[in-house]
């Protein structure tokens, strides 16, 4: 993790309120993992005061070049959107654990709601480098104009399923409505893993089906629904969670989520959690 | 080098600090969290997150809400308890190139006494008594121990009797007369007074009609509380003889100097660490420059030099 002045190479409006931000961060020591994020200072004054967390959207092949995808929702993101090419952003990162990708897995289902698609593209990028694998990306958005990553996901070899709340593109509904159908395709009921206990109170690594990995990012109601469906099939869900942050480094204990082990921090213990461990409040 | 260093050193009772800039409790974890981002060799010390006798789970999220030039928090003193702290955190902390001040908190006097006993046997440099956290319920007739001079004195005395470590008592701004509490702490034997802890506040979501924080109320910190903090440091400086450690909204060197002029012998940097992890070390460098520019031999030449 470093604190750096990152040069803005591109900060482009790609759809209504949606921006792509490309920065050059010199001095990065470790490789960035999909699911990690940066904590970004939006302005130079005291309002807004705190940094803003943004997930890495594309890691890319060039060292030190990182892409973000963000939506303007308030003061901080608005200020970031006004920053021009050639200026510098104060960033801290990479932060957090990132998605774990088991070597044994070959079927990957990515499910995104809204801006949740941002980190999942970085994951697809990593998965695209694997030899034998299938990637299905279910992307849910409010409306057609918010679908900003379709082309990228397809280029990365993902089978794309689009769902919009207003039906302006793909099926009408929520991302989760498409999930059961996709899972059914893997014919999981027939593969009876000896590890799978019946009615386990709390699923742990050994209980999961090894065939499919589910990766999610989106609003809480979506994550809850994904968790419920995945549980039925004993599929592990790794989800990138959000919470309001102070420090971003595990010092302030502000970004707490309740897990079966007690409160854990999105910035330090996450942002990626096994959804089975989350205690919904 | 030697001459330069000595100009910033201060003594807080028996506690000698190489510079008067300290990282504030709850904003700097246990030092390790910031290890990759900042070198602590120039700062005077760090105060740990407050530690209680038994583990505290912490409050229900959301625990943070940003406000205009500030933030509300309702962390609720989440910590593993003093036993786990001594076992798993202390040795790493002691390896930091700066003084280690351990903040202690509890909801009754006996807890503070026990904490003092346990910590007295360790190699820590000082204890800060947090009787001013707005996010836990104290077993006292007022909401916070530090809102009641008698409860303040009782706790300070209980800690004093059980440790020889330098003692700093941290006060809350949520009182009618801060000097009354400060004097009570001084009489009970504290070596220094630190202030201010956060200002109790609230924020509301008008769509859901619910409070923004899981715990309903929280503590306000950051630049927006600086004027309150300065006023209280000035009042306490004029009311007690023990050194005062000032904090509340310090973001940079200029802010820090205001506190020294109002009577602080040292300052703590809290919320600023979140925005700039190098805030403490930048203030140290800034103070050094300020002394040089103004041809002052010691930071002590600034303390309480407010011209009225
Ligand atoms: C780990 C992580 C990764 C994220 N990645 C992305 C991303 O790739 N693209 C993207 O568009 N957004 C992402 N977000 C959400 C993004 O951080 C918020 O949209 C942003 O902070 C809003 O700031 P604002 O000032 O514009 O909005 P305001 O609503 O004015 O912000 C007020 C305060 O609330 C906080 N806040 C508001 N919304 C959120 C949120 N959803 N999560 C956490 N804090 C929030 C802000 O940081 C700020 O402190 C991510 C959040 C987290 C926690
Ligand atoms: C997230 C957060 C957690 C805090 N936790 C503690 C704590 O555990 N103990 C304590 O004495 N003060 C705690 N404080 C108060 C700070 O140490 C400091 O008194 C206050 O924030 C004012 O200073 P600032 O404006 O520089 O942050 C906390 C403050 C914040 C913002
Ligand atoms: S934001 Fe401070 S602990 Fe996560």
């Amino acid at each position: 993790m470093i604190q750096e002045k990152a040069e803005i190479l591109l900060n482009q409006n790609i759809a209504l309120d949606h921006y792509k931000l490309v920065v050059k961060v010199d001095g990065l020591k470790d490789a960035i993992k999909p699911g990690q994020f940066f904590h970004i200072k939006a302005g130079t004054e005291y309002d807004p005061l705190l940094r803003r967390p943004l997930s890495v959207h594309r890691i890319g092949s060039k060292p030190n070049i990182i892409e973000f995808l963000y939506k303007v929702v308030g003061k901080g993101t608005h200020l970031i959107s006004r920053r021009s090419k050639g200026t510098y952003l104060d960033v801290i990162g990479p932060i957090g654990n990132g998605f774990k990708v088991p070597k044994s897995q070959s079927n990957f289902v990515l499910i995104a709601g809204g801006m949740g698609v941002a980190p999942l593209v970085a994951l697809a990028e990593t998965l695209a480098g694997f030899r034998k694998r299938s990637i299905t990306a279910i992307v849910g958005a409010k409306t057609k104009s918010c679908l900003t990553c379709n082309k990228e996901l397809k280029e990365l070899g993902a089978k794309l399923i689009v769902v919009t709340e207003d039906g302006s593109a793909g099926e009408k509904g929520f991302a989760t409505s498409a999930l059961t159908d996709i899972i059914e395709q893997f014919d999981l009921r027939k593969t009876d893993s000896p590890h799978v206990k019946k009615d386990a109170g709390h699923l742990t690594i050994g209980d999961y089906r090894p065939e499919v990995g589910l990766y999610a990012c989106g609003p809480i109601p979506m994550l809850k629904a994904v968790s419920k469906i995945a549980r039925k099939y004993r599929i592990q869900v790794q989800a990138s969670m959000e919470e309001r942050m102070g420090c971003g480094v595990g010092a302030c204990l502000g970004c707490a989520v309740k897990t079966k082990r007690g409160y854990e921090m999105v910035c330090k213990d996450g942002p990626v959690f096994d959804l089975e461990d989350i205690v919904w409040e | 080098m030697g001459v330069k260093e000595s100009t910033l050193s201060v003594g807080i009772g028996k506690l000698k600090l190489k510079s008067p800039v300290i990282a504030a409790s709850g904003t700097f974890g246990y030092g390790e969290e910031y290890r990759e981002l900042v070198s602590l060799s120039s700062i005077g010390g760090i105060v740990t997150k407050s530690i209680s006798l038994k583990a505290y789970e912490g409050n229900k999220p959301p625990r943070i809400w940003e406000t205009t030039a500030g933030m509300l928090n309702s962390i609720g003193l989440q910590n593993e308890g003093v036993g786990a702290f001594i076992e798993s955190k202390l040795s790493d902390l002691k390896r930091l190139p700066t003084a280690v001040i351990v903040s202690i908190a509890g909801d009754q006097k006996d807890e503070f006494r026990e904490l003092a006993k346990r910590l007295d046997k360790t190699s820590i440099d000082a204890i800060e008594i947090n009787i001013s956290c707005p996010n836990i319920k104290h077993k006292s007739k007022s909401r916070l121990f530090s809102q009641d001079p008698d409860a303040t004195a009782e706790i300070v005395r209980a800690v004093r009797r059980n440790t020889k470590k330098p003692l700093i008592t941290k006060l809350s701004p949520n009182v009618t007369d801060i000097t009354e509490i400060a004097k009570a702490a001084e009489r009970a034997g504290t070596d220094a007074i630190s202030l201010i802890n956060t200002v109790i506040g609230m924020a509301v979501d008008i769509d859901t009609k619910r409070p923004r924080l899981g715990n309903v109320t929280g503590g306000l910190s950051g630049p927006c509380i600086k004027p309150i903090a300065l006023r209280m440091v000035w009042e306490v400086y004029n009311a007690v003889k023990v050194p005062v450690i000032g904090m509340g909204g310090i973001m940079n060197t200029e802010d820090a100097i205001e506190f020294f002029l109002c009577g602080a012998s040292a300052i703590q940097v809290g919320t600023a660490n979140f925005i700039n992890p190098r805030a403490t070390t930048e203030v140290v460098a800034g103070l050094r420059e300020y002394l040089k520019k103004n041809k002052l031999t010691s930071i002590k030449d600034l303390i309480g030099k407010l011209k009225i």
Side-chain angles (χ1 to χ4, degrees):
Chain A
M1 194 194 300
I2 57 167
Q3 179 183 4
E4 265 304 325
K5 296 266 183 281
E7 187 187 345
I8 299 177
L9 304 179
L10 180 85
N11 192 13
Q12 191 182 22
N13 187 204
I14 54 167
L16 182 67
D17 292 337
H18 288 65
Y19 287 78
K20 179 172 272 189
L21 170 68
V22 183
V23 298
K24 183 160 169 282
V25 190
D26 289 323
L28 282 177
K29 286 174 224 143
D30 309 308
I32 294 169
K33 286 182 269 180
Q36 288 187 309
F37 68 95
F38 279 73
H39 216 193
I40 300 174
K41 179 116 182 61
T44 51
E45 304 297 318
Y46 295 156
D47 186 27
L49 183 67
L50 299 169
R51 288 172 179 266
R52 298 295 188 258
L54 289 182
S55 296
V56 172
H57 172 56
R58 304 264 341 214
I59 302 165
S61 46
K62 285 200 207 105
N64 301 337
I65 309 280
I66 303 160
E67 270 184 54
F68 301 98
L69 173 71
Y70 65 96
K71 186 177 174 188
V72 172
V73 297
K75 232 180 222 166
T77 44
H78 173 71
L79 270 178
I80 295 174
S81 77
R82 302 297 297 271
R83 303 292 291 269
S84 49
K85 187 178 156 182
T87 63
Y88 289 80
L89 271 178
D90 182 341
V91 305
I92 296 176
I95 303 176
N97 56 359
F99 295 105
K100 282 187 228 30
V101 185
K103 284 254 146 47
S104 59
Q105 237 165 47
S106 52
N107 296 309
F108 301 92
V109 179
L110 281 42
I111 178 162
M115 290 314 293
V117 72
L120 291 177
V121 174
L123 176 64
E125 210 174 5
T126 301
L127 298 177
F130 290 13
R131 253 192 298 145
K132 268 175 59 190
R133 47 101 191 103
S134 91
I135 312 171
T136 308
I138 308 172
V139 178
K142 274 218 163 57
T143 184
K144 192 175 172 184
S145 65
C146 299
L147 292 159
T148 53
C149 303
N150 289 1
K151 194 165 149 250
E152 281 173 298
L153 285 165
K154 276 192 210 146
E155 278 168 8
L156 292 167
K159 182 180 155 210
L160 186 67
I161 293 156
V162 170
V163 188
T164 52
E165 281 173 39
D166 63 0
S168 55
E171 290 279 306
K172 185 174 162 142
F174 294 105
T176 40
S177 9
L179 184 60
T180 306
D181 284 351
I182 296 297
I183 294 177
E184 288 285 348
Q185 286 173 10
F186 294 111
D187 247 3
L188 293 180
R189 294 234 164 105
K190 289 181 194 137
T191 23
D192 236 351
S193 157
H195 300 297
V196 176
K197 284 179 248 146
K198 282 218 169 65
D199 298 322
H202 169 201
L203 303 185
T204 57
I205 286 294
D207 301 324
Y208 294 126
R209 301 270 182 177
E211 304 91 333
V212 184
L214 196 46
Y215 298 81
C217 187
I220 296 285
M222 179 195 110
L223 296 182
K224 274 190 192 168
V226 170
S227 169
K228 216 166 144 189
I229 296 168
R231 194 163 214 279
K232 273 203 291 210
Y233 297 91
R234 296 178 194 276
I235 296 173
Q236 184 185 27
V237 192
Q238 291 183 48
S240 179
M241 309 273 294
E242 292 184 356
E243 195 41 82
R244 275 152 216 279
M245 294 192 174
C247 65
V249 300
C252 74
L253 309 181
C255 60
V257 285
K258 194 160 201 169
T259 75
K260 289 178 177 149
R261 297 173 291 269
Y263 284 118
E264 293 192 336
M265 299 305 136
V266 167
C267 68
K268 191 166 175 241
D269 308 307
V272 178
F273 291 89
D274 181 336
L275 276 193
E276 217 11 65
D277 293 338
I278 301 295
V279 178
W280 304 106
E281 304 208 282
Chain B
M1 200 62 195
V3 177
K4 266 193 194 166
E5 289 288 334
S6 66
T7 58
L8 281 183
S9 69
V10 290
I12 304 293
K14 284 181 299 176
L15 177 66
K16 297 285 172 260
L17 302 177
K18 63 183 151 198
S19 76
V21 180
I22 302 166
S25 178
T27 65
F28 217 72
Y30 304 90
E32 67 189 309
E33 293 84 351
Y34 281 102
R35 198 183 43 220
E36 292 174 67
L37 298 175
V38 55
S39 153
L40 301 180
S41 56
S42 73
I43 75 169
I46 84 162
V47 187
T48 65
K49 175 78 192 160
S50 294
I51 286 154
S52 46
L53 199 52
K54 300 223 172 63
Y56 281 177
E57 185 186 32
N59 285 331
K60 192 173 121 188
R63 293 178 173 183
I64 284 183
W65 183 257
E66 195 182 39
T67 62
T68 309
M71 62 176 280
L72 285 163
N73 89 81
S74 60
I75 311 297
L77 298 187
Q78 179 175 343
N79 80 98
E80 296 173 330
V82 70
F85 167 76
I86 291 172
E87 243 169 65
S88 68
K89 296 250 161 51
L90 192 57
S91 61
D92 280 347
L93 256 172
K94 281 304 299 176
R95 247 176 260 132
L96 295 175
T98 193
V100 172
I101 302 166
V102 174
S103 170
I104 59 172
D107 61 11
Q108 47 194 320
K109 189 176 76 180
D110 295 349
E111 253 185 277
F112 283 95
R113 177 189 298 136
E114 193 56 33
L115 282 161
K117 275 190 198 158
R118 300 276 288 271
L119 289 166
D120 190 57
K121 299 188 204 99
T122 68
S123 57
I124 63 165
D125 298 295
I127 292 175
E128 183 174 77
I129 312 173
N130 174 10
I131 46 174
S132 47
C133 178
N135 294 321
I136 58 163
K137 290 189 182 67
H138 291 172
K139 292 203 179 80
S140 138
K141 67 177 191 296
S142 49
R143 180 171 168 168
L144 310 176
F145 289 127
S146 63
Q147 286 172 331
D148 173 354
D150 298 334
T152 299
E154 258 184 57
I155 287 167
V156 174
R157 217 172 285 125
V159 174
R160 178 76 291 168
R161 285 197 188 119
N162 287 286
T163 181
K164 295 203 165 55
K165 302 275 184 199
L167 278 191
I168 303 162
T169 304
K170 183 165 175 182
L171 304 187
S172 165
N174 307 294
V175 293
T176 38
D177 182 1
I178 190 82
T179 62
E180 189 192 4
I181 313 289
K183 283 188 225 154
E186 182 179 45
R187 276 197 300 273
T190 195
D191 297 308
I193 284 170
S194 61
L195 75 166
I196 59 174
N197 207 318
T198 52
V199 182
I200 301 175
M202 261 180 102
V204 176
D205 180 339
I206 60 165
D207 294 325
T208 62
K209 302 192 173 97
R210 291 161 69 93
R212 295 287 193 181
L213 293 171
N215 199 43
V216 186
T217 60
L220 186 64
S221 65
C224 63
I225 68 167
K226 195 183 77 176
I228 302 172
L230 277 171
R231 184 264 294 178
M232 290 194 153
V233 165
W234 173 242
E235 284 179 350
V236 170
Y237 171 72
N238 286 301
V240 300
K241 292 194 181 62
V242 292
V244 176
I245 302 175
M247 80 191 92
I250 298 177
M251 300 298 285
N252 53 38
T253 307
E254 290 73 27
D255 294 337
I257 292 169
E258 284 190 71
F259 277 82
F260 289 112
L261 291 172
C262 286
S265 293
I267 55 106
Q268 293 187 13
V269 176
T271 303
N273 295 304
F274 304 162
I275 295 108
N276 176 17
R278 295 191 278 249
T280 48
T281 55
E282 287 177 7
V283 171
V284 173
L287 289 176
R288 200 165 274 152
E289 225 166 84
Y290 180 87
L291 293 186
K292 210 167 136 193
K293 203 172 122 205
N294 292 281
K295 302 198 170 58
L296 297 169
T297 51
S298 165
I299 190 77
K300 291 171 198 147
D301 300 338
L302 280 182
I303 301 171
K305 291 292 151 61
L306 187 71
K307 293 181 185 163
I308 303 281

